[in-house]
């Protein structure tokens, strides 16, 4: 869908382009500065190259912020390239979702969305050139033999018996591989580098393998597919990428990256690979394969389950693009890895929503409070209008949104935990004889409670103190030590509220080969029926709120129906709960 309208208008006004002044400085900007100063490049061209074999996750968000951000900082461009060289695991659904996620994050890619498969023809031609130049050969060993003969860190490799076959013979065999004459696994094309090389990856790495598989874009046109280490540098070079940024695991591949470019060029510009430390987030798994397993095994409701670290999951959870960019800023770009605490991510959301999310009152665990003198002092059936600011501290220069309106009557819902028959030490909320303020309403004095035959409290009793309505002249004549949240029985609306907790109980669920499934938190989702004030029931899907004192919540993008069926997800609590 976005494929045909690539320069994404949404991105224009947002994020990266919002803050050209935010000059980042890290080891990559040092490299770019030096390249520009030395005249090696005049324009910075980066790329974000996801493989379309799953949905993007929070780690990709970092790579997106980095690649698009670097290009923007230097007035260059960033390409969105789908690295679709493996036909077996890839899917068009993923292709679509990736484009949406990148666009949502404000990634404004240059030109069309690009596909590695667009370059299959060029890659093949360059491979023929390597064969002709004596730099590649067709090997008839099995993949197991090749692996065994590669040696390891301490043992040099053993040359293939086919390594010195005549160029003409390799060329003919390679053409027959392409023509589909051989079954999968019969032979491969290998680079002819050095079987005794200190870097094992340089010991005649594979370039092409046979795979009779349907590709989501090229269909059945190809039955040989290039290996990542060969394809990636060529994709970069063909697109004129100047700075090819990847994560540290690819450090040892860099030598091979350079070898392939040196033997297929000259390329201008000549791309260079740079590595940074990937984002590893506590209590999270990030491998797409593992995320897929959670989805397939129905451990979560889908890729966009609000507990998932996917972009779609985070979005449904209430995360904003701005909060994810803030996360990138705070975690920085460096070569030093390590785990990032989940609380850092949550802090970013809290800080972003603080000045944006409208306020509202919701009672998550309701018990009814009855003001027994209401009819006498306020009038039978009287409902008193109240109002409160929707955003108490709007950012500077931002027009505050209209106030919220609701009413108060004889009966209101309060949180069960706000009443104690026998108050623990220091308890300041409702207990017989104590006064509190119903936030934005009146001061009340607690007189007792009613219980059912099992001893469960069904009603809390109180009297209203007249002339104490918030915002009226006499309102603070009566001093109280606490204000509690509430929703009037007369206009409260039932809402489904999904209280999420961490998905895993282990801070490093898949470290050291652990089975991450074993540390799934059985209580990561609790659904409650809450009672919310009318302004919340009128939320638009995806709108974020601060439920006063509880935390930030978002109207669910999928299940919430404005006005008639409110559904909210807990995005993040008001305080850090990870240290507990
Ligand atoms: P996975 O292991 O989840 O499948 P991947 O690295 O294979 O991840 P790609 O689709 O190849 O996924 O990644 C696209 C880009 O995103 C790459 O440039 C990769 O370096 C980057 N990336 C992936 N994971 C992270 C991460 N955790 N932190 C930073 N960048 C990442
Ligand atoms: Mg990958």
């Amino acid at each position: 869908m976005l494929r045909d309208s690539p320069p994404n208008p949404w991105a224009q006004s947002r994020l990266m382009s919002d803050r050209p002044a935010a000059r980042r400085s890290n080891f990559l900007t040092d490299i770019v500065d030096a390249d520009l100063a030395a005249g090696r490049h005049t324009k910075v061209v980066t790329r974000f190259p996801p493989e379309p074999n799953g949905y993007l996750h929070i780690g990709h968000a970092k790579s997106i912020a980095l690649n698009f951000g670097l290009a923007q900082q230097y007035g260059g461009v960033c390409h969105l390239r789908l690295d679709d060289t493996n036909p077996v695991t890839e899917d068009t659904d993923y292709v679509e979702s990736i484009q949406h996620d990148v666009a949502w994050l404000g990634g404004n890619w240059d030109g069309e969305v690009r596909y590695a498969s667009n370059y299959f023809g060029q890659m093949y031609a360059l491979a023929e050139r390597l064969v002709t130049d004596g730099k590649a050969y067709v090997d008839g060993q099995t993949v197991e033999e090749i692996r065994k003969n590669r040696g390891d860190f301490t043992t040099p490799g053993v040359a293939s018996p086919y390594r010195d076959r005549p160029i003409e013979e390799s060329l003919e065999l390679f053409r027959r591989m392409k023509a589909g004459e051989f079954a999968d696994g019969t032979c491969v094309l290998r680079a002819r580098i050095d079987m005794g090389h200190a870097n094992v990856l340089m010991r005649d790495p594979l370039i092409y393998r046979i795979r009779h598989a349907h590709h989501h874009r090229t269909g059945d046109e190809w039955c040989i597919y290039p290996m990542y280490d060969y394809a990636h540098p060529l994709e970069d070079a063909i697109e004129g990428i100047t700075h090819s940024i990847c994560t540290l695991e690819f450090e040892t591949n860099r030598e091979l990256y350079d070898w392939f470019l040196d033997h297929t060029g000259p390329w201008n510009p000549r791309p260079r690979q740079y590595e940074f430390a990937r984002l590893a987030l506590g209590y999270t798994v990030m491998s797409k394969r593992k995320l897929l397993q959670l989805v397939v095994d129905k451990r979560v409701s889908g890729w966009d389950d609000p507990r998932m670290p996917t972009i779609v999951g985070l979005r449904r959870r209430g995360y904003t693009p701005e909060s994810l960019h803030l996360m990138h800023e705070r975690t920085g770009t460096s070569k030093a890895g390590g785990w990032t605490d989940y609380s850092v991510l949550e802090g970013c959301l809290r800080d972003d929503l603080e000045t944006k999310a409208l306020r509202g009152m919701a009672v998550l665990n309701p018990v009814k409070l009855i003001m027994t003198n209401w009819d006498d002092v306020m009038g039978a059936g009287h409902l008193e209008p109240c109002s409160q600011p929707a955003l108490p501290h709007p950012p500077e220069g931002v027009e505050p949104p209209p106030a919220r309106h609701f009413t108060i009557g004889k009966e209101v819902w309060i949180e069960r935990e706000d009443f104690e028959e026998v108050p623990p030490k220091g308890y300041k909320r409702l207990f017989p004889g104590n006064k509190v303020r119903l936030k934005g309403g009146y001061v009340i004095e607690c007189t007792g409670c009613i219980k059912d035959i099992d001893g469960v409290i069904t009603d809390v009793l109180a009297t209203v103190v007249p002339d104490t309505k918030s915002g009226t002249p006499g309102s603070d004549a009566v001093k109280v030590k606490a204000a509690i949240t509430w929703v009037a029985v007369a206009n409260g609306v039932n809402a489904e509220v999904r209280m999420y907790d961490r998905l895993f109980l282990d801070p490093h669920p898949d470290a050291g080969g652990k089975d991450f499934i074993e540390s799934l938190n059985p209580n990561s989702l609790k659904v409650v029926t809450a009672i919310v004030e009318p302004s919340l029931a009128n939320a638009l899907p995806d709108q974020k709120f601060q439920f006063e004192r509880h935390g930030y919540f978002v109207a669910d993008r999928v299940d919430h129906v404005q006005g008639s069926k409110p559904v909210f997800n807990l995005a993040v609590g008001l305080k850090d709960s990870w240290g507990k």
Side-chain angles (χ1 to χ4, degrees):
M1 177 192 331
L2 282 164
R3 190 177 305 161
D4 299 316
S5 52
N8 125 43
W10 220 77
Q12 282 302 348
S13 62
R14 300 179 69 89
L15 308 170
M16 323 234 179
S17 35
D18 270 358
R19 38 179 152 127
R23 246 201 88 83
R24 283 166 216 94
S25 171
N26 53 50
F27 80 97
L28 289 170
T29 61
D30 291 347
I31 288 166
V32 174
D33 286 337
D35 284 346
L36 295 176
R40 278 190 287 276
H41 300 297
T42 49
K43 183 178 175 188
V44 172
V45 186
T46 58
R47 86 288 175 262
F48 174 63
E51 187 183 348
N53 61 349
Y55 280 63
L56 298 184
H57 53 61
I58 175 90
H60 294 116
K62 183 165 194 69
S63 180
I64 291 166
L66 180 57
N67 282 295
F68 284 90
L70 197 68
Q72 196 234 336
Q73 180 170 335
Y74 288 93
V77 296
C78 181
H79 296 177
L80 173 60
R81 179 205 310 147
L82 294 154
D83 206 344
D84 56 352
T85 52
N86 182 356
V88 180
T89 53
E90 294 161 3
D91 193 275
T92 44
D93 177 35
Y94 298 142
V95 169
E96 295 281 324
S97 76
I98 287 169
Q99 294 179 49
H100 275 113
D101 290 350
V102 174
W104 181 72
L105 282 167
N108 191 9
W109 58 83
D110 180 68
E112 299 280 335
V113 172
R114 293 150 213 259
Y115 294 86
S117 54
N118 287 353
Y119 317 133
F120 280 168
Q122 269 162 290
M123 290 176 189
Y124 175 79
L126 289 166
E128 278 208 358
R129 181 173 140 199
L130 288 175
V131 176
T132 311
D133 292 347
K135 300 283 181 214
Y137 59 96
V138 171
D139 193 350
Q141 296 181 106
T142 64
V143 173
E144 291 74 44
E145 284 167 330
I146 291 174
R147 197 173 297 138
K148 199 171 115 260
N149 290 337
R150 224 166 50 140
D152 56 29
F153 195 63
T154 48
T155 335
V158 176
S160 162
Y162 304 99
R163 194 171 198 265
D164 293 318
R165 78 176 359 148
I167 287 174
E168 283 314 313
E169 197 178 303
S170 273
L171 193 60
E172 193 210 322
L173 286 169
F174 186 40
R175 287 180 176 160
R176 289 174 61 195
M177 276 169 69
K178 174 177 182 273
E181 291 187 26
F182 306 120
D184 288 9
T186 320
C187 48
V188 295
L189 185 72
R190 289 180 81 176
R192 196 161 184 281
I193 306 180
D194 179 357
M195 287 307 289
H197 203 289
N199 180 349
V200 178
L201 292 180
M202 299 293 282
R203 295 180 190 168
D204 292 11
L206 304 201
I207 301 180
Y208 269 93
R209 66 213 188 298
I210 302 171
R211 188 151 297 182
H212 290 269
H214 191 81
H215 186 280
H216 71 99
R217 292 190 80 240
T218 57
D220 297 319
E221 190 183 340
W222 295 88
C223 63
I224 56 171
Y225 290 93
M227 304 301 289
Y228 176 89
D229 280 328
Y230 173 70
H232 204 84
L234 294 187
E235 293 158 24
D236 286 343
I238 290 165
E239 290 184 8
I241 302 299
T242 53
H243 299 83
S244 177
I245 300 161
C246 62
T247 48
L248 275 178
E249 310 84 78
F250 289 93
E251 202 167 10
T252 46
N253 303 62
R254 190 189 333 126
E255 207 170 2
L256 189 48
Y257 182 98
D258 287 333
W259 191 92
F260 280 128
L261 290 186
D262 289 344
H263 293 89
T264 52
W267 298 101
N268 185 27
R270 160 69 156 79
R272 298 273 164 199
Q273 175 184 303
Y274 301 99
E275 309 89 19
F276 73 104
R278 65 165 47 227
L279 174 72
L281 190 63
Y283 293 95
T284 304
V285 297
M286 263 189 236
S287 136
K288 282 179 276 190
R289 183 178 61 74
K290 291 173 186 163
L291 295 174
L292 176 64
Q293 189 183 335
L294 292 173
V295 174
V296 170
D297 294 353
K298 300 208 171 359
R299 307 284 183 172
V300 294
S301 64
W303 285 100
D304 69 347
D305 186 295
R307 291 164 292 184
M308 290 281 271
T310 50
I311 307 293
V312 281
L314 289 162
R315 180 179 184 184
R316 198 168 167 192
R317 183 70 178 266
Y319 277 81
T320 56
E322 292 82 356
S323 62
L324 298 181
H325 285 278
L326 198 54
M327 173 74 174
H328 170 58
E329 300 289 333
R330 289 187 182 169
T331 52
T333 303
S334 77
K335 284 202 165 268
W339 290 86
T340 299
D341 214 82
Y342 205 88
S343 61
V344 176
L345 177 62
E346 292 197 336
C348 292
L349 182 59
R350 238 181 250 120
D351 290 350
D352 183 46
L353 292 184
E354 163 66 26
T355 55
K356 284 183 184 169
L358 303 187
R359 289 354 185 217
M361 286 197 284
V363 178
L364 301 183
N365 183 16
V367 64
K368 194 182 279 178
L369 177 137
I370 303 170
M371 287 173 258
T372 51
N373 64 339
W374 182 273
D375 290 351
D376 294 338
V377 298
M378 304 295 295
H382 178 70
L383 292 176
E384 178 68 18
C386 302
S387 84
Q388 285 280 284
L391 197 56
H393 310 290
E396 240 184 295
V398 172
E399 183 80 6
R404 301 137 53 199
H405 295 283
F406 44 91
T407 62
I408 186 166
K410 179 177 181 165
E411 298 181 334
V412 299
W413 298 108
I414 62 166
E415 295 290 345
R416 211 161 255 284
E417 64 175 44
D418 285 348
F419 171 77
E420 291 284 354
E421 216 176 350
V422 182
K425 199 167 172 293
Y427 191 80
K428 297 192 178 66
R429 288 166 280 166
L430 290 168
F431 55 87
N434 197 37
K435 291 193 184 78
V436 303
R437 172 171 295 283
L438 292 176
K439 197 164 186 231
Y442 288 86
V443 172
I444 57 172
E445 176 169 352
C446 182
T447 55
C449 66
I450 299 174
K451 295 180 192 170
D452 66 13
I453 51 166
D454 299 319
V456 177
I457 295 166
T458 54
D459 304 279
V460 175
L461 303 175
T463 53
V464 61
V465 183
D467 302 324
T468 55
K469 186 177 159 189
S470 294
T472 62
S475 66
D476 47 8
V478 182
K479 296 281 178 234
V480 293
K481 292 214 176 70
I484 63 169
T485 50
W486 57 280
V487 173
V489 170
N491 64 13
V493 180
N494 282 10
E496 177 178 329
V497 177
R498 299 166 180 171
M499 302 296 291
Y500 292 106
D501 195 358
R502 58 197 77 178
L503 185 54
F504 295 99
L505 295 170
D506 188 325
H508 308 137
D510 56 354
K514 271 183 285 191
D515 181 3
F516 64 103
I517 297 293
E518 278 170 21
S519 68
L520 276 168
N521 177 4
N523 302 312
S524 58
L525 169 60
K526 208 175 101 204
V527 180
V528 302
T529 301
I531 298 164
V532 301
E533 67 169 73
S535 69
L536 294 179
N538 266 323
L540 294 166
D542 206 29
Q543 200 176 353
K544 285 98 182 158
F545 295 91
Q546 186 191 107
F547 287 6
E548 294 191 41
R549 87 189 251 199
H550 289 299
Y552 292 98
F553 289 77
V554 60
D556 189 71
R557 290 164 51 69
V558 179
D559 299 324
H560 173 87
V561 183
Q562 187 186 21
S564 60
K565 187 187 160 232
V567 180
F568 291 94
N569 302 328
L570 169 64
V572 62
L574 289 181
K575 293 207 189 72
D576 181 14
S577 61
W578 293 86
K580 284 197 300 216

